[in-house]
Amino acid sequence: TLSIDEISSALKKVGLDSVPQEPNTYPALNPFDIYRSHITELLAKQTGIDASTIYKTLAWTAKPENGDLQMAVPALRIKGKDMKEFAKEVAENFPESPIVERPVVNGTWVGFFFKPAALTSLVLPQILKAGPSYGFNPNLGLKDPSDPSAGRKKVIVEFSSPNIAKPFHAGHLRSTIIGGFLGNLYEGAGWEVIRMNYLGDWGKQYGVLAVGFDKFGSEAELEQNPIGHLYDVYVKISKISHDEGEAAKALKAEIAKLKEEGKDASAQEAELKKIEEEGVDQQARNYFKRMVDGEPTALGIWKKFRDLSIVKYKETYARLNIRYDEYSGESQVKDESMDEAARIMQEKGVSEDSEGAVIVDLTKYSKKLGKAIIKKKDGTSLYLTRDIGAAWERYQKYHFDKMIYVVASQQDLHLAQLFKIQEAMGRKEVADKCQHINFGMVLGMSTRKGTAKFLDDILRDVGEKMHEVMRSNEDKYRQVEDPEKTADTLGISAVMVQDMKGKRINNYNFDMDRMCSFEGDTGPYLQYAHARLNSIERKAKAAVPDLPEDLSTADFSLLKEQHAVEVVRQLASWPDVFLNTIKTQEPTTVLMYLFKMSHMVSSSYDHLQVVGSDREVMIARLALYKAAKQVLNNGMRLLGLSPVERM
Ligand code: ARG
């Protein structure tokens, strides 16, 4: 990153004697901060209005033709003036500035354009010096910005959270992608991030699974392909359990009928008894009870399932650049935590008995929240009970400032209940720090071999599709070094970008052809844009071997063309896009920017050739493209993509 001294001397060169810096701004990290502060200083002097008021009214523009920043004059809250007149007055009296043009007036809006030459010579070195950190701001996560020794804020991002022995469905896919992005986002803002995977690994179904493994399992297959094998076992044993259930139902009906007719039903009764006492369901219940009681053999088998599954999950997550700090799960929630919560809820009158079960009636807070069961008649805990205990345990362990649950909107009610219950039982401090980041559904997600079951299947399939697309251009294909690996990376980008393109809450169609296309706003398009910028640098170096390594000292006054200026304006706004993304917590905020910026870069190629231009022009243009590649790279990594150098 540039030091404040370097920024100061860069500003001197363009004619500004001091570094404009309003409170909580970062001129060395964000060019827009310089401009906002500078305009604020000038306007405060000129109008006598308080600097903090002015600063807040300087907003981004939706269209570049409105300026780089604009001010809604009515927001200055000056009484007794005609706002249109005042806007004109503000613009007319705006003093000469070395870095900002004469303001333009549009109704009650005043628009400010940055002077291109100054902007270019400030921003490009800033990007080239900051490199992979350009746009990010580690100060934002400081507990106390004026005292770094006070430490960083802490956030838990809980995401993905699949269920062992069950398919990895679209909800888990989206949670993985969005959660990975959110972890990076907070890290970029200097927070301490704890990535947590809360596995669905507890409940009677794990008794079912163990019983099934006894019948159908194979140790060898378990070692080889734990996730797939456990799923197969689960499907087989569930079928038996289902059939037994049906048989029991039929028997009951038959017994009732026989009795009504006064006939002997003892044979049927014996059969029913056999199912009820020895069937899969009862065996599973017994088994799960042994797990709950902490019986070592039962727990040992279950732990093996869990451990082997985690090994496999880790490999798959690594392909998406995701690593967890903690694999927790429903099984890890301590009985004591749940007992304590139950006691508090009872003492405070939050919970009540209802036909042997324990419930919390949340309708008194809001009808929509309904009544939540927290303990079943047989005394066992539920999904919700475990979440109440887990949240408290995490708070004790991490003292987080924020905890994000990345879970599909199908579970809106569950999380709303969780948060409300915590509040009601006197844990408002925790509840206030919790946030549910939800998202819509993926429609029609299937692989070409059938309905998608596991993340690996999806990624493999999309990689194969991408490989086909790449092969359709033979010339190019031959130049790619490791086509399999590239296809894999492009496929992953395709899935991720399609997922992050719209607002989180929207549903979308899983459309393999669409997402794998190089045209339109797709993952492969972004990768292509990145690889192309990379190839410009490679070709220039090949053509002119003695090019300087450090391009930050290029003569930027040579970048006069409108196309160059437009690209620089885009690049200058990346740190602000990052800030905005922290507010929206939407990956689409980043993506829309990256597409816009890439389009602008791509339309400049014909106008700003590198190889073949005069040496100094060539160096300046190369600096521009290198800066563009850096920003694209930073944005892609924030999203969790792996930018490719060649394709
Ligand atoms: N395993 C759950 C499911 O697949 C998601 C867990 C979400 N997180 C939570 N703390 N409840 O539906």
Side-chain angles (χ1 to χ4, degrees), residues 127-307:
I127 298 172
L128 295 171
K129 282 259 166 73
S133 67
Y134 176 65
F136 306 119
N137 186 346
N139 301 295
L140 304 173
L142 290 174
K143 282 203 168 123
D144 176 357
S146 63
D147 175 18
S149 71
R152 308 195 161 278
K153 292 191 260 187
K154 213 181 263 181
V155 60
I156 294 183
V157 184
E158 187 224 277
F159 65 110
S160 197
S161 308
N163 304 320
I164 289 176
K166 297 249 184 87
F168 191 100
H169 57 65
H172 300 123
L173 176 72
R174 295 209 72 187
S175 172
T176 308
I177 295 172
I178 295 167
F181 155 75
L182 289 171
N184 299 341
L185 180 69
Y186 279 89
E187 224 155 55
W191 287 58
E192 188 185 325
V193 178
I194 294 125
R195 295 175 172 82
M196 185 181 286
N197 200 330
Y198 181 68
L199 298 172
D201 58 359
W202 201 243
K204 203 195 86 192
Q205 73 263 33
Y206 295 96
V208 176
L209 186 65
V211 171
F213 194 76
D214 217 29
K215 274 197 175 55
F216 307 112
S218 133
E219 291 289 335
E221 272 193 67
L222 181 66
E223 297 281 342
Q224 264 220 329
N225 175 15
I227 295 177
H229 184 53
L230 288 178
Y231 176 68
D232 289 343
V233 167
Y234 190 72
V235 169
K236 281 187 192 149
I237 195 72
S238 300
K239 169 137 192 357
I240 297 185
S241 153
H242 175 82
D243 291 350
E244 283 176 351
E246 293 295 300
K249 232 193 271 167
L251 283 168
K252 276 183 197 156
E254 206 184 328
I255 293 166
K257 192 164 160 252
L258 287 170
K259 284 201 169 155
E260 210 181 84
E261 291 166 2
K263 290 186 188 148
D264 174 34
S266 56
Q268 287 78 2
E269 277 171 338
E271 216 177 312
L272 178 63
K273 189 163 172 240
K274 194 167 153 54
I275 293 180
E276 280 173 346
E277 284 174 5
E278 293 161 39
V280 169
D281 239 41
Q282 190 50 42
Q283 285 182 47
R285 236 188 299 272
N286 295 343
Y287 195 96
F288 184 58
K289 172 125 186 8
R290 286 165 59 201
M291 284 165 65
V292 171
D293 293 344
E295 203 239 88
T297 329
L299 272 184
I301 293 172
W302 162 86
K303 187 167 181 323
K304 188 166 174 187
F305 292 166
R306 182 180 197 269
D307 290 348

Side-chain angles (χ1 to χ4, degrees), residues 158-164 166-167 169 171-172 175 196-201 206 328 330 383-384 386-388 390-391 394 403-408 411 414-415 418 436:
E158 187 224 277
F159 65 110
S160 197
S161 308
N163 304 320
I164 289 176
K166 297 249 184 87
H169 57 65
H172 300 123
S175 172
M196 185 181 286
N197 200 330
Y198 181 68
L199 298 172
D201 58 359
Y206 295 96
S328 71
E330 293 178 45
Y383 182 46
L384 180 60
R386 292 192 277 275
D387 257 326
I388 297 170
R394 293 176 197 174
M403 174 154 70
I404 298 175
Y405 293 85
V406 190
V407 188
Q411 295 194 28
H414 170 77
L415 287 147
L418 170 62
H436 177 202

Side-chain angles (χ1 to χ4, degrees), residues 81 99 161 190 213 237 294 309 376 391 437 457 468 577 597 624:
K81 278 204 188 211
I99 64 171
S161 308
F213 194 76
I237 195 72
S309 300
K376 284 201 264 188
I437 291 278
D457 300 336
E468 269 170 35
V577 171
M597 191 267 277
L624 176 72

Side-chain angles (χ1 to χ4, degrees), residues 592-604:
M592 287 307 112
Y593 166 78
L594 293 182
F595 284 127
K596 194 162 78 178
M597 191 267 277
S598 306
H599 291 316
M600 218 154 251
V601 170
S602 119
S603 62
S604 74

Side-chain angles (χ1 to χ4, degrees), residues 301-319:
I301 293 172
W302 162 86
K303 187 167 181 323
K304 188 166 174 187
F305 292 166
R306 182 180 197 269
D307 290 348
L308 289 171
S309 300
I310 290 177
V311 170
K312 199 76 202 155
Y313 283 132
K314 282 185 179 164
E315 286 171 21
T316 309
Y317 290 128
R319 299 174 67 185

